[in-house]
Amino acid sequence: MSQLFVRTLREDPADAEVTSHRLLVRAGYIRRQAPGVFAWLPLGLRVRAKIERVIREEMAAAGAQEVLFPALLPREPYEATGRWEEYGDGIFRLKDRKGADYLLAPTHEEVFTLLVKDLYSSYKDLPLTIFQIQDKYRDEARPRAGLLRGREFSMKDAYSFDYTDAGLDVSYQAQRDAYERIFTRLGLDYVIVQADAGAMGGSRSEEFLHPTPIGEDTFVRSASGYAANVEAYTTPVPEALPIEGLAEAVIHDTPNTPTIATLVDVANVVEPRTDRAWEAADTLKNVVLALTHLDGSRELVIVAVPGDREVDLKRAEVAFAPAEVEPATEADFEKNPLLVKGYIGPWSPTGAVLGEESATGIRYLGDPRVVDGTSWITGANADGKHVFGLVAGRDFGFDGTVEIAEVRAGDPAPDGSGPVELARGMEIGHVFQLGRKYADALDLKVLDENGKLVTVTMGSYGIGVTRILAAIAEATADDRGLLWPRGIAPFDVHVVATGKDEVAFSLAASLAAELEAQRFEVLYDDRPKVSPGVKFGDAELLGVPTIVIVGRGAADGLVELWDRRTNERTEVPAADLVERFTASLA
Amino acid sequence: MSQLFVRTLREDPADAEVTSHRLLVRAGYIRRQAPGVFAWLPLGLRVRAKIERVIREEMAAAGAQEVLFPALLPREPYEATGRWEEYGDGIFRLKDRKGADYLLAPTHEEVFTLLVKDLYSSYKDLPLTIFQIQDKYRDEARPRAGLLRGREFSMKDAYSFDYTDAGLDVSYQAQRDAYERIFTRLGLDYVIVQADAGAMGGSRSEEFLHPTPIGEDTFVRSASGYAANVEAYTTPVPEALPIEGLAEAVIHDTPNTPTIATLVDVANVVEPRTDRAWEAADTLKNVVLALTHLDGSRELVIVAVPGDREVDLKRAEVAFAPAEVEPATEADFEKNPLLVKGYIGPWSPTGAVLGEESATGIRYLGDPRVVDGTSWITGANADGKHVFGLVAGRDFGFDGTVEIAEVRAGDPAPDGSGPVELARGMEIGHVFQLGRKYADALDLKVLDENGKLVTVTMGSYGIGVTRILAAIAEATADDRGLLWPRGIAPFDVHVVATGKDEVAFSLAASLAAELEAQRFEVLYDDRPKVSPGVKFGDAELLGVPTIVIVGRGAADGLVELWDRRTNERTEVPAADLVERFTASLA
């Protein structure tokens, strides 16, 4: 400890928002170099190396081979797949002295694809899964939470290559299984949720989320095993209802009802129900969104959701990807006088009908719950007017359905496994079936059994190495400091010599040597003029799970074995220490 | 081998200039991604990891602690030391989304200095040596020779921190010793040469050069141990000669003598010597150089060297660093009419005397061999005229001496150890005493024993990890392929099953398993339909030092042990293989 390049801090760093950031800086594991960019000190690097070792072992067990790509890559492959533009401001771009374009790679699908294309040409070469552990760069708009959302971070990214869909399923499952083993070995709780592939394209996609209140993702899960990112939740479609016998729709004057709440109040006055009062869920809310497509063009769409639900813009982004989504602006309304703000609806006395027979030329998309036979109070496309008893499938239809309504606790799981609850999670791993998107764009084909060229199908599998280090720190820390699980702690045991008695220091040194001889990694706090209080505080902050105190009892051959987790201290004879410590690991 | 992600190539890559580049690509160790930027395939990565392990072990033995910095770093620290500008086009610069300046670090002195400043404050914390193994970036004007001069490369860079000069000497020596152990373990020949610190500043500086004809550096060495980079060679200064009794200088018309050779011819006609003919070494050549200083200003200097030597511009660059040096241009001569091209000299009938009493305002610097009492034929600063018998110390003097004359085989070593020879070398390591340059610029001070703030003194120690991998490949390869030293070969043994006989394949598989059980790393060529010729060719190309052939003799329990280096093949009973192989390692 007197030699170790570390200094603990009493004060939290000013910019630290989360526990892991706070403690990793205070305990001298990392230091900030720039927003979202960190240097690793010896303690941090030791933990990082141990996590990498676990990942490498499980990758090898899954048959994946390690390679290594540079961070600096030329523009061309990313241009070919469209991602050079798609990433927008989210990546670091630069030019070399000759003016050629480069990027600091945020992920490596393109160059892995090209490498396999360079080496392989036959179905006999497949399946193949290759991976790297490598530093990646993303120019986050708001780097924060220390290692959890940095601009430089280490990732294990693996890519699988198959020539059949069934092969891809096998490769995908092998990585998925490896991820389960990795997180289990690291002692990191996880939930596998269905995810939307988003910008990565492809078909099957699951995220490994670590449940934590500081997670950036919201996910839903049922008691019986269903779990999905809210963006991937699909609404169970109710049975259609009989239309026959339903009353005609009626238009009512409903002035000053710009919101659902005011509308419900007025509805209960102008046409009260006999069985119960009107509720927000009886109304159909029509919201105008503006999509910005990749080519820069702007398109308005109208989306209909039950009035008791908000439009979830994150779900909307996924539904309309790769377009960007925002609420329509005043300018949009001014250009479209048929859209009467606050009174938009699918049916109209003025002829401004939405949907398949639209007069507006604007796509009209509906929540899956709005099935045929359901009856709604909704806008009449005329100022101050709503229509009551408007029946889907009779009075109006959609150009399509869309998953953009908010998901709420109690909503049914789509697999019938009951109601879902909502939780926050941190993404710690992601497995994707990319399919043929990258192989198509970069022309990766192999000859199949019949000598025919077939396009390769790929998977992409990522684990954030530095992020899971922070996630583990976050999950295991207590109010006294870091508290690493065995196996990834920077040391197996932390021996602390206290007091001024030379006997304690010489006993501590010999115990440290004895433990090292048993191949344990030992941090020995040999600092001569530091008080026991400071030493104990440092030991608690650094987070090695077992601490051995060699102090007053040393003269009598006694030391204390201190379990950092339970905070239990046991006096043991020094002669038994190694045996007792070894036994405590079992 | 049927699973390994590798493909060997029959043809050399078009852009490969050197053996290591050619073979590392052909054997499937690396693949080019951009000029000077490579991806590492499994075989290459295995060798790289083994070299890194050797380096880590020796760094630990030298008491150095490992840390890790990002490649992406902010401008400010490099601005503070002036290197942001000094590097010119030689580094990659970029901006983030907010317009802040960053670079991809070419070396990390600044941020290591700041990290120590952040953590440490007392002499008690020192000495400290910390290192990293990390990917660096330089925007080379002409990336070439594969890994030997790339734009991205892995380096081990260590930095030492002391508060006394004596402490720095100890830290420096510890790294220097570690480097000797590293290169010895890696089997890489090296010569330690005195080097000029150049752009790094500082005092003591030595390079580890690997002698090779493809080296970029020229160095000199004597038979008795002196060795220096030519840029660091210092000319032994001869004794001054008596001036008294020397004849007066005489001006002769010497038209049409723009070169030393023509001058010598004319000299032997207009004033022939009686004892011998005039030679080039009797003339003093005055060369006008233009320096461009960091602030952009341009300065002319005149340098004088014996006429039998050229000005060595690389030595001149070091002598005038950090200014850039080039020969004066026609425009420079036009602006300075006193400089009569081809007839420049220190003394003149027209009064255009150079040196301390200069009429030109231009510094006049001389080779150290031009001591007082030496007599020269040199320019008379008048068109078509030279002066004969011009005596240094009587007729002219210098504003200073300068080491810019070329160094030649046979020149005396400055330490008196006899004549030097010239050789080519490749820089594989560099140890520097930086002194207080960076600590001054970044204000790294500690309190000394007396409570006084003292500036820390630093050393910087670099090894090019990927470069030494290529250097080893270059040094050990033969005309059949790569040929790795044991310890860093990607595998310990390469087992090749040949023929169509199932017996050979099952024997080979069991031998491979047996060797692996003995903790050897085995590459097993299990490819079923590949000819023995192709398998042997691949084995030779991949360069594992021991190959085991399991073929026709398998039915009789016989295999062949093939020493890749000596090309000797020995038939051994399969039952004895492991023992025989183990014995061959001793």
Side-chain angles (χ1 to χ4, degrees), chain A residues 3 5 7 31 37-38 40 42 45 65-68 70 96-97 102 118-119 125 137 139 141 151-152, chain B residues 3 5 7 31 37-38 40 42 45 65-68 70-71 96-97 102 118-119 125 139 141 151-152:
Chain A
Q3 305 295 317
F5 185 52
R7 277 296 171 277
R31 277 292 185 282
V37 180
F38 293 87
W40 291 75
L45 202 54
Q65 300 181 60
E66 188 168 359
V67 300
L68 181 62
D96 72 3
R97 63 197 297 154
Y102 287 81
D118 175 12
L119 265 68
D125 300 327
Y137 295 86
D139 196 357
R151 299 200 293 175
E152 190 206 39
Chain B
Q3 305 296 318
F5 184 53
R7 277 296 172 276
R31 278 292 187 279
V37 180
F38 293 86
W40 291 76
L45 201 54
Q65 300 181 60
E66 188 168 359
V67 301
L68 180 63
D96 73 4
R97 66 198 295 156
Y102 287 81
D118 175 11
L119 266 68
D125 299 327
D139 196 359
R151 297 199 295 174
E152 190 208 37

Side-chain angles (χ1 to χ4, degrees), chain A residues 3-7 31 33-35 37-42 45 48 65-74 89-90 92-98 102 104 111 115-116 118-120 125 127-128 130 135 137 139-141 151-152, chain B residues 3-7 31 33-35 37-42 45 48 65-74 89-90 92-98 102 104 111 115-116 118-120 125 127-128 130 135 137 139-141 151-152:
Chain A
Q3 305 295 317
L4 185 66
F5 185 52
V6 67
R7 277 296 171 277
R31 277 292 185 282
Q33 299 296 304
V37 180
F38 293 87
W40 291 75
L41 276 59
L45 202 54
R48 182 170 162 167
Q65 300 181 60
E66 188 168 359
V67 300
L68 181 62
F69 275 86
L72 180 73
L73 287 171
D89 285 341
F92 291 100
R93 297 181 176 81
L94 65 158
K95 287 181 189 289
D96 72 3
R97 63 197 297 154
K98 290 179 177 162
Y102 287 81
L104 299 183
V111 288
L115 183 62
V116 173
D118 175 12
L119 265 68
Y120 280 178
D125 300 327
L128 171 72
I130 46 182
D135 288 333
Y137 295 86
D139 196 357
E140 294 282 348
R151 299 200 293 175
E152 190 206 39
Chain B
Q3 305 296 318
L4 185 66
F5 184 53
V6 66
R7 277 296 172 276
R31 278 292 187 279
Q33 298 297 304
V37 180
F38 293 86
W40 291 76
L41 276 60
L45 201 54
R48 183 170 161 168
Q65 300 181 60
E66 188 168 359
V67 301
L68 180 63
F69 274 86
L72 181 73
L73 286 172
D89 285 342
F92 291 100
R93 295 181 178 81
L94 64 157
K95 287 181 189 293
D96 73 4
R97 66 198 295 156
K98 291 181 177 162
Y102 287 81
L104 299 183
V111 288
L115 183 62
V116 172
D118 175 11
L119 266 68
Y120 279 179
D125 299 327
L128 170 73
I130 44 182
D135 288 334
Y137 295 85
D139 196 359
E140 294 281 348
R151 297 199 295 174
E152 190 208 37

Side-chain angles (χ1 to χ4, degrees), chain A residues 90 135 159 203 243 269 323 342 385-386 472 499 517 542:
Chain A
D135 288 333
Y159 304 88
S203 45
I243 290 174
V269 173
K385 290 185 195 299
H386 280 86
I472 295 168
L542 296 192

Side-chain angles (χ1 to χ4, degrees), chain A residues 61-141:
Chain A
Q65 300 181 60
E66 188 168 359
V67 300
L68 181 62
F69 275 86
L72 180 73
L73 287 171
R75 169 179 178 153
E76 290 71 21
Y78 291 84
E79 184 80 38
T81 58
R83 294 211 295 182
W84 176 265
E85 283 81 21
E86 265 174 53
Y87 273 115
D89 285 341
I91 57 170
F92 291 100
R93 297 181 176 81
L94 65 158
K95 287 181 189 289
D96 72 3
R97 63 197 297 154
K98 290 179 177 162
D101 282 318
Y102 287 81
L103 52 74
L104 299 183
T107 173
H108 281 71
E109 279 76 4
E110 285 83 350
V111 288
F112 271 78
T113 306
L114 288 174
L115 183 62
V116 173
K117 181 180 172 181
D118 175 12
L119 265 68
Y120 280 178
S121 57
S122 161
Y123 74 97
K124 293 180 202 161
D125 300 327
L126 303 181
L128 171 72
T129 299
I130 46 182
F131 78 100
Q132 63 178 351
I133 294 180
Q134 195 262 355
D135 288 333
K136 304 218 174 311
Y137 295 86
R138 291 187 194 163
D139 196 357
E140 294 282 348

Side-chain angles (χ1 to χ4, degrees), chain B residues 185-260:
Chain B
R185 284 181 63 180
L186 295 176
L188 194 57
D189 277 350
Y190 65 91
V191 179
I192 304 178
V193 303
Q194 294 173 27
D196 182 89
M200 307 289 290
S203 47
R204 195 171 169 199
S205 168
E206 290 170 295
E207 280 178 13
F208 286 72
L209 294 185
H210 170 63
T212 163
I214 64 159
E216 294 189 321
D217 290 346
T218 305
F219 68 100
V220 293
R221 57 178 162 187
S222 72
S224 332
Y226 170 79
N229 205 308
V230 283
E231 285 84 359
Y233 172 86
T234 51
T235 309
V237 181
E239 290 282 312
L241 301 175
I243 291 175
E244 217 169 321
L246 292 175
E248 285 288 295
V250 179
I251 293 177
H252 287 288
D253 281 331
T254 54
N256 302 318
T257 52
T259 64
I260 295 295

